[in-house]
Amino acid sequence: MSGPSAPGIQKRKGTCCRLWLWLLALALAACDAPSPTASDPHDPPTMDFKSPPARITTVRPSGAFAAGNALSMTAVLKPLDSAPVKEVRLDATHKIIEIAPGVKFAGWTFGDQVPGPTIRARVGDKIRFTMTNRSDESVPGVRVTTAPMMHSMDFHAAMVSPQDKYRSIAPGQTIEFEFTLNYPGVFMYHCGTPMVLEHIASGMYGAVIVEPRAGFPTRVDREYVIIQSEFYARPDPDKRKVDGVPLYVLDRDRLRAAQPTHTVFNGVHNGMVKQPLPAKAGERVRLHVLNVGPSKTSSFHVVGTIFDRVWIDGNPGNQLGGMQTVLLGSSGSATVEFVIPQDGSYMMVDHHFANASQGAIGLISTGKADVAELEHHNLSASATPTEPEAALGKLHFESKCVACHSVGQGRKMGPDMAGVSKRRTEDWLTRWLRSPERMLETDADAKAMLKEYNNLPMPNQNLSAAEIRQFIRYFKWVDAQPAGSLSAGGAGH
């Protein structure tokens, strides 16, 4: 009786063994795989896309331009309102805003402020939104500086039909619509009426902070909203004035070329330098950071600490850690957390320093002593240079020099600039501002100053001839002020 050879039997046994192992591996993988019935928060059946059609009426309110318990009006983020339905009103207005000291700009707003109020909610909450186009309203003061026009609202946090919800409405009209929040994150809202670029650059933007359904996974002591944006300003061709100073309007040529005149946090040049955000040593701080652009990228950084948690777009599912800087494109966002390690002043800055030099800086401070130190000069609030060159010099100083120098508040990392135009000649100051590194090679006074200030050389700021001239005009203006006007007891400005 014949039968299979021994090698043939071994071959079949090996094949069966491999097949058995392969089937076992598939079975184990199936055990580890999610059940087909497991809940996926991003599957359409788990999300709410139902939203009734938007309603447009001619109802014109007479009350506040912004209303709702879910709104935060400043950088301080209010606690979450527990109501599952958030009633939010943000009306469109035209008004004068001050984007820098003495720079009165013809802005367009949501809720009558720039940025618009921040909306805070949670995944699963419903936003019931109302907006009236009040750009045609005549109210006391110089407010309406641009002809009334169409406006709309575009919520990046919503999943709705844009043709229905984001329609432009005419002055005097009101639009109402609602939607459910399906994703956590830090989302931009803005006017979507053409030209969208002009509407955002004029101030029509804000943030929606959406918490995860179960809340954030960490506990913090402080929570703030930081919104970076650009302004493109030029003096009004009609030479209108506001409170005795020139009115500024949108520079459409610079806007299309993406060449901003100001880049700011929370709508104001150096606003959070003059009024730092408070914190204490050892506290954990959470910042919700949004770069609305409309055209530039932000490299957000806090000097003196490290982001131990970074949630890209504000979603805890997108976590990074141990980061020094967060890169944010236009409409990009992140929620960052860090610890304040010691008492001190911690500078928030766009590390793209061309933007920082235009005003994208702010401060987190640990106490009253720090606040006094941050008041880099103490002229009265009305003591702003009226001469254009000196006013520009003041603006440059507050953008580029506040971290290292004061005016009338004593030495910091560098000398107090009060009296500098009397201590140094204009020629010396010009050469120093143009090329400090060359001066340190040849000038005895520059070398002595370097030694006096712990061998910390002043960096070359690459100033233009016009900027150098403006700096010197500002220093001369400061030194011409009456005795005592730079004293610590004055009103910070």
Side-chain angles (χ1 to χ4, degrees):
M1 181 176 176
S2 63
S5 65
I9 293 174
Q10 292 299 322
K11 183 177 180 180
R12 286 196 297 274
K13 286 184 176 179
T15 301
C16 291
C17 184
R18 286 194 297 271
L19 179 61
W20 183 86
L21 289 173
W22 180 71
L23 291 173
L24 180 60
L26 283 179
L28 291 173
C31 291
D32 292 336
S35 165
T37 60
S39 175
D40 179 351
H42 300 150
D43 274 349
T46 68
M47 293 192 283
D48 183 1
F49 300 139
K50 298 185 293 294
S51 177
R55 191 166 73 101
I56 296 179
T57 68
T58 56
V59 175
R60 183 189 287 270
S62 58
F65 298 105
N69 293 334
L71 299 183
S72 297
M73 315 305 284
T74 68
V76 179
L77 188 63
K78 290 167 50 179
L80 178 72
D81 176 53
S82 61
V85 178
K86 308 291 195 286
E87 301 279 355
V88 173
R89 168 176 286 278
L90 295 175
D91 292 339
T93 70
H94 291 181
K95 67 177 293 188
I96 302 299
I97 59 175
E98 188 169 49
I99 61 177
V103 182
K104 308 280 189 175
F105 181 73
W108 310 341
T109 87
F110 285 121
D112 211 43
Q113 66 177 58
V114 177
T118 298
I119 302 170
R120 183 172 197 169
R122 179 171 284 177
V123 170
D125 286 349
K126 188 183 297 293
I127 301 294
R128 188 168 290 153
F129 175 69
T130 303
M131 180 185 80
T132 301
N133 185 340
R134 299 169 74 173
S135 65
D136 61 338
E137 288 194 11
S138 178
V139 296
V142 181
R143 291 178 61 95
V144 181
T145 58
T146 309
M149 65 180 67
M150 306 283 277
H151 288 301
S152 62
M153 173 61 85
D154 178 337
F155 282 110
H156 287 199
M159 301 177 74
V160 294
S161 167
Q163 291 73 32
D164 177 45
K165 306 300 190 292
Y166 301 162
R167 283 179 282 175
S168 296
I169 59 172
Q173 288 186 319
T174 295
I175 187 168
E176 301 173 5
F177 61 85
E178 62 184 51
F179 57 93
T180 299
L181 297 165
N182 289 309
Y183 283 88
V186 178
F187 297 97
M188 179 179 176
Y189 68 75
H190 64 88
C191 182
T193 300
M195 295 281 292
V196 179
L197 180 63
E198 295 186 3
H199 287 252
I200 296 175
S202 295
M204 302 193 81
Y205 52 79
V208 181
I209 311 298
V210 185
E211 292 191 13
R213 195 181 296 269
F216 288 117
T218 56
R219 188 193 70 80
V220 294
D221 301 291
R222 311 273 180 167
E223 202 166 5
Y224 298 113
V225 179
I226 309 296
I227 299 178
Q228 180 170 328
S229 64
E230 304 141 22
F231 287 105
Y232 301 77
R234 63 174 179 139
D236 177 30
D238 296 330
K239 297 182 171 25
R240 288 176 290 180
K241 291 190 174 183
V242 180
D243 299 329
V245 299
L247 173 67
Y248 284 78
V249 297
L250 185 66
D251 188 329
R252 289 176 171 81
D253 291 335
R254 294 185 71 107
L255 179 61
R256 286 189 290 270
Q259 296 176 339
T261 54
H262 303 78
T263 305
V264 302
F265 290 154
N266 289 18
V268 180
H269 174 282
N270 276 6
M272 287 181 289
V273 172
K274 299 183 179 74
Q275 295 181 320
L277 302 178
K280 295 180 181 179
E283 288 186 331
R284 175 171 292 277
V285 176
R286 179 185 294 148
L287 302 181
H288 302 281
V289 187
L290 170 65
N291 175 32
V292 305
S295 298
K296 294 294 187 178
T297 297
S298 171
S299 297
F300 186 78
H301 173 70
V302 177
V303 179
T305 190
I306 293 175
F307 304 146
D308 52 23
R309 288 181 181 85
V310 174
W311 300 328
I312 300 299
D313 267 356
N315 186 333
N318 305 329
Q319 180 165 308
L320 299 171
M323 296 186 69
Q324 59 187 323
T325 302
V326 181
L327 190 66
L328 304 174
S330 293
S331 90
S333 66
T335 295
V336 302
E337 291 186 3
F338 52 92
V339 172
I340 299 294
Q342 300 174 327
D343 283 335
S345 301
Y346 295 81
M347 181 176 290
M348 301 176 291
V349 63
D350 183 345
H351 222 278
H352 181 146
F353 278 110
N355 295 339
S357 72
Q358 292 186 330
I361 59 174
L363 287 162
I364 300 173
S365 175
T366 62
K368 293 182 178 179
D370 297 307
V371 174
E373 178 185 337
L374 293 168
E375 293 292 358
H376 48 278
H377 59 91
N378 276 310
L379 303 176
S380 67
S382 62
T384 298
T386 56
E387 180 197 351
E389 293 260 291
L392 286 170
K394 178 174 182 285
L395 194 63
H396 295 324
F397 181 87
E398 293 178 345
S399 297
K400 304 173 189 289
C401 308
V402 64
C404 300
H405 299 277
S406 77
V407 175
Q409 286 294 299
R411 56 191 290 162
K412 296 173 71 175
M413 292 175 65
D416 188 333
M417 301 309 293
V420 69
S421 69
K422 298 177 180 178
R423 298 193 301 269
R424 308 290 184 189
T425 67
E426 184 170 335
D427 175 70
W428 193 97
L429 288 172
T430 299
R431 289 185 290 117
W432 175 252
L433 292 170
R434 181 188 300 125
S435 182
E437 68 276 15
R438 290 186 182 179
M439 291 280 281
L440 287 170
E441 292 175 358
T442 60
D443 187 88
D445 289 341
K447 292 178 181 179
M449 187 166 58
L450 178 65
K451 185 176 180 180
E452 180 182 356
Y453 287 92
N454 301 315
N455 291 313
L456 293 173
M458 174 174 153
N460 191 324
Q461 302 276 7
N462 295 310
L463 301 175
S464 67
E467 289 173 324
I468 291 172
R469 184 175 64 250
Q470 291 155 5
F471 265 109
I472 294 173
R473 289 301 306 159
Y474 172 55
F475 295 149
K476 288 185 174 181
W477 173 83
V478 166
D479 293 340
Q481 299 309 299
S485 63
L486 295 177
S487 66
H493 175 63

